[in-house]
Amino acid sequence: MSDNDANKVLTSPKLKLEDFESSVQLRTLTSEDLPALLELQNACFPGMEPWSEPEFLSQLKHFPEGQFGIEVEGQIVATCSSLIVDFSEYSDWHSWETIADDGFIRNHDPEGDTLYGIEIMVHPEFRGMKLSRRLYAARKELCRKLNLMRIIVGGRIPGYGAHADEMTASEYLEHVVARDLFDPVLTPQLANGFVLRGLIPNYLEEDVDSRGFATHLEWLNLDYHASVEKRLTTVSKVRLSVVQWQMRPLNSFADFEAQVKFFVDTASEYRSDFVVFPELFTLELLSLIEPSTPNMAARQLSEFTPQYLELMADLALRYHINIVGGSQLVLEGDSLYNIAYLFRRDGSIEKQYKIHVTPNERKWWGIQPGQRVEVFDTDCGTVAINICYDVEFPELARYAAARNARILFVPFNTDERNGYHRVRSCAKARAIENHMFVAISGCVGNLPLVQNTDIHYAQSAIFTPSDIAFSREGIAAEASENISQLLIHDVDTELVRRHRVNGTTKNWHDRRTDLYQVVFNHPEGEEGI
């Protein structure tokens, strides 16, 4: 080498490492990735229908953190989609359409125990770069982060099509597991720690290469622990005691107190979790008030509220029972409200204002409407309260169902049969629409000389969804008409949760949210369901 050549080498431009770097980024998908996702699906699965825009957006809405993508030099070249389920609901192995909700994943259950993978794909030009390993690693990390028991996938076996004439699908799997054959999907899945649990026929019929078969693959999260919090989120048997209250004239508040205590004591003796009183059963206290205008009498009734609250709170603690305390008229400033109270057996108290005021309540008593729908966490799961007329407006129960309420309590007070059947019919509809139990509690009897509350009609009951798993006609239990009675019945809240997924009809999931939604205007901002 001459001196000139050596100088040329010594003076060569400095190498820039960035010229040799590549950009590979794993991230969650966004709505802006839809065009790239459709292009990727067409490249990976020619002839199969790709995600639709509503399906993809629904996945992002219900479980955004479960939808991953990998970019290479800014191009989406690999993705995977998943949801969380309670896998015991699918142990009979339904089709892909069932467990993936046709791609919409509206059955995503944050309280479930299993991360279920419904799709994974790598662009043909980028295979061999271990991109699927990155996606599986992301799923495993998400599984650990969310403390889920496992990951399950129903995997394609696209290599089977070339061997379908010479061996069965189960024989093909044996060869792939033994590494005699290579399958572009199953082989990487096995290499990523998944265990083959079974073979599923008719899983995805349009998957011609797999002949409709899929593998049942499982990866166990060894870091999983069944926390106390998770064990308490699902409650099965809940015992309800529903009071059908006899209205009668009183001589003192002590008379009222003795009657309330009798029902709470009895419900507690039967180890009930809830005892439910009717709307405005406190109206019989009006017999202790000197005759006045209805408006003034209602305001005088509110003066009993402190005694009422003290009584109910004490009984809930003393008898270790959650009390849905009917409702009572309450004066706040110059405004009069009809409020239902929940007295928990841990000593805490919540309240639900009546949202819809009847024409008579407004005319005779001047009652003002509440402004917010509440849901309540209890030691028996999430519950909600619709006060009488409120159950005739389906949006309120729908809001509660969206927040996982599985029992709806409806304290009501109706004067004659027509009004009662409005409440009854609407309560049964709420049970069907929202996959929940609905317990209605009403007043019977007469209150002579008490204006605007002299007669009462009721047949208290507990309603269910109308399906095979429940009682005939959707009635779990009902009282006899127009007599004082305590109705006691066990409901299985786990049953209604499973019914939302496996019912003959799936009213909740089949709502056309692409066409309509309910928007609640709360002080902190709008909230749509």
Side-chain angles (χ1 to χ4, degrees):
M1 179 184 295
S2 66
D3 291 341
N4 288 335
D5 290 336
N7 289 335
K8 287 180 181 179
V9 173
L10 293 174
T11 58
S12 294
K14 185 178 181 180
L15 296 177
K16 297 180 179 179
L17 294 181
E18 54 265 32
D19 292 339
F20 299 88
E21 292 178 334
S22 297
S23 172
V24 179
Q25 179 187 7
L26 186 145
R27 61 174 176 81
T28 52
L29 297 173
T30 70
S31 58
E32 296 178 355
D33 294 318
L34 178 61
L37 183 70
L38 297 179
E39 183 179 341
L40 177 61
Q41 284 191 309
N42 287 325
C44 293
F45 311 126
M48 293 179 64
E49 187 176 352
W51 295 126
S52 68
E53 181 176 2
E55 289 170 342
F56 180 56
L57 294 180
S58 183
Q59 293 169 21
L60 296 182
K61 173 184 176 182
H62 289 94
F63 190 36
E65 58 267 50
Q67 321 309 319
F68 292 107
I70 295 178
E71 285 185 356
V72 174
E73 300 299 331
Q75 177 187 353
I76 293 286
V77 298
T79 65
C80 67
S81 304
S82 59
L83 70 156
I84 298 174
V85 297
D86 178 348
F87 191 64
S88 64
E89 297 172 353
Y90 302 92
S91 56
D92 291 336
W93 277 103
H94 302 288
S95 65
W96 179 91
E97 285 84 358
T98 297
I99 204 159
D101 184 31
D102 272 331
F104 288 95
I105 71 166
R106 291 165 296 193
N107 55 324
H108 169 70
D109 181 5
E111 296 182 7
D113 59 8
T114 300
L115 185 68
Y116 190 97
I118 60 172
E119 184 67 280
I120 188 167
M121 52 187 174
V122 178
H123 196 287
E125 296 179 6
F126 291 84
R127 290 171 184 167
M129 294 177 61
K130 311 297 184 186
L131 298 182
S132 63
R133 179 181 299 178
R134 295 172 189 249
L135 293 172
Y136 283 120
R139 277 180 172 169
K140 292 174 183 177
E141 180 60 30
L142 180 62
C143 188
R144 295 187 187 98
K145 176 183 176 182
L146 298 178
N147 188 35
L148 300 175
M149 183 184 299
R150 59 198 162 193
I151 301 173
I152 285 182
V153 295
R156 301 177 63 240
I157 46 173
Y160 175 57
H163 301 274
D165 293 334
E166 58 194 64
M167 64 180 71
T168 65
S170 58
E171 291 172 337
Y172 174 78
L173 293 186
E174 291 176 359
H175 283 291
V176 175
V177 171
R179 300 186 180 181
D180 298 329
L181 292 174
F182 174 86
D183 186 272
V185 175
L186 178 56
T187 299
Q189 289 171 330
L190 295 174
N192 277 283
F194 282 81
V195 176
L196 181 62
R197 297 298 189 193
L199 180 66
I200 314 164
N202 304 315
Y203 184 72
L204 187 60
E205 293 183 0
E206 62 188 78
D207 185 2
V208 178
D209 291 338
S210 304
R211 298 298 191 266
F213 286 100
T215 54
H216 173 189
L217 294 159
E218 180 182 50
W219 175 85
L220 292 176
N221 174 16
L222 298 181
D223 296 323
Y224 171 76
H225 57 91
S227 65
V228 173
E229 180 181 353
K230 280 210 166 191
R231 289 199 297 268
L232 290 178
T233 54
T234 300
V235 179
S236 295
K237 295 291 185 180
V238 179
R239 180 161 295 176
L240 306 182
S241 283
V242 178
V243 177
Q244 189 155 280
W245 181 270
Q246 174 78 43
M247 300 293 272
R248 67 197 73 185
L250 302 174
N251 294 316
S252 67
F253 187 85
D255 290 346
F256 173 78
E257 181 177 340
Q259 194 177 358
V260 173
K261 184 177 178 180
F262 162 75
F263 282 114
V264 175
D265 183 17
T266 305
S268 178
E269 281 293 317
Y270 281 90
R271 298 187 178 277
S272 298
D273 296 294
F274 290 90
V275 59
V276 191
F277 288 90
E279 176 194 25
L280 294 179
F281 73 114
T282 55
L283 285 174
E284 68 178 20
L285 292 169
L286 289 175
S287 60
L288 303 178
I289 297 173
E290 290 294 328
S292 179
T293 64
N295 183 279
M296 287 304 300
R299 289 172 178 262
Q300 288 176 277
L301 178 62
S302 70
E303 295 176 4
F304 287 100
T305 299
Q307 292 172 268
Y308 158 84
L309 292 175
E310 183 178 4
L311 169 64
M312 291 297 192
D314 176 69
L315 293 176
L317 276 177
R318 184 184 304 273
Y319 289 95
H320 189 61
I321 189 169
N322 299 302
I323 301 176
V324 180
S327 74
Q328 161 67 349
L329 297 183
V330 181
L331 193 61
E332 295 183 353
D334 291 329
S335 298
L336 189 67
Y337 297 97
N338 188 353
I339 301 177
Y341 291 90
L342 171 64
F343 302 88
R344 294 192 187 91
R345 51 186 161 195
D346 65 3
S348 59
I349 305 174
E350 302 269 14
K351 61 182 177 181
Q352 171 66 65
Y353 291 77
K354 190 171 186 177
I355 303 296
H356 300 90
V357 177
T358 65
N360 270 351
E361 286 176 310
R362 186 179 297 108
K363 175 182 177 182
W364 294 104
W365 293 335
I367 293 177
Q368 300 299 308
Q371 300 299 320
R372 184 175 179 87
V373 181
E374 306 288 351
V375 293
F376 308 112
D377 292 324
T378 74
D379 55 3
C380 296
T382 306
V383 304
I385 301 173
N386 282 181
I387 306 174
C388 196
Y389 194 32
D390 282 341
V391 80
E392 299 178 29
F393 299 84
E395 299 84 3
L396 305 189
R398 181 169 298 170
Y399 178 89
R403 278 139 194 85
N404 296 316
R406 295 173 189 166
I407 304 176
L408 179 66
F409 296 110
V410 183
F412 73 93
N413 193 318
T414 49
D415 56 351
E416 41 79 42
R417 190 185 296 262
N418 291 330
Y420 163 72
H421 278 286
R422 285 196 297 271
V423 171
R424 179 187 178 94
S425 299
C426 292
K428 293 188 71 175
R430 304 298 85 84
I432 294 169
E433 295 162 352
N434 301 296
H435 310 273
M436 57 170 50
F437 292 106
V438 182
I440 66 171
S441 171
C443 294
V444 300
N446 305 319
L447 276 180
L449 306 178
V450 179
Q451 296 186 48
N452 201 41
T453 183
D454 40 8
I455 61 172
H456 302 83
Y457 181 94
Q459 185 180 17
S460 302
I462 300 170
F463 302 124
T464 75
S466 185
D467 208 344
I468 298 168
F470 301 94
S471 302
R472 191 179 71 177
E473 300 176 353
I475 304 171
E478 61 183 342
S480 301
E481 299 176 58
N482 268 5
I483 63 170
S484 178
Q485 194 168 349
L486 183 65
L487 187 67
I488 303 173
H489 189 78
D490 286 346
V491 298
D492 186 348
T493 56
E494 178 67 8
L495 188 61
V496 291
R497 187 182 71 84
R498 290 174 181 268
H499 182 259
R500 183 177 283 196
V501 177
N502 297 323
T504 302
T505 58
K506 303 174 184 178
N507 298 67
W508 184 262
H509 288 148
D510 291 338
R511 292 170 301 137
R512 289 293 305 275
T513 53
D514 57 323
L515 293 180
Y516 61 86
Q517 67 172 337
V518 179
V519 177
F520 283 80
N521 299 312
H522 290 317
E524 57 269 29
E526 290 188 350
E527 191 172 4
I529 59 170

